[in-house]
Amino acid sequence: MEALYGLLLPFLGTSLGAASVFFMKKAMSDGLQKGLTGFAAGVMTAASVWSLLIPAMEQAADLGRLASFPAAAGFWLGILFLLLLD
């Protein structure tokens, strides 16, 4: 049951935050909307660096000087994939 509560709390927070966009989309100025979008992009970039890229480089530390190559290659492949989808 604790696992359900642990999953339910982030789900509700994300859902309510996303639903608020529908109520505020006409009330926000362009500057505020651009600022919030930039903030969200910064949060996601920080999350990818500290939660994904740094642990990937630590796991590849036995490669020596090439320890950052698998993480960098995966990062750029992900960017290219998202650009392809867009």
Side-chain angles (χ1 to χ4, degrees), residues 3 7-11 16 21 23 27 39-40 43-44 53 56 59-60 62-63 82:
L7 291 172
L8 194 59
L9 184 64
F11 173 75
L16 290 174
V21 171
F23 299 114
F39 177 75
V43 167
M44 292 309 295
L53 291 176
Q59 288 180 358
D62 60 335
L63 294 177
L82 289 176

Side-chain angles (χ1 to χ4, degrees), residues 1-13:
M1 199 62 172
E2 289 180 24
L4 179 64
Y5 291 142
L7 291 172
L8 194 59
L9 184 64
F11 173 75
L12 288 174

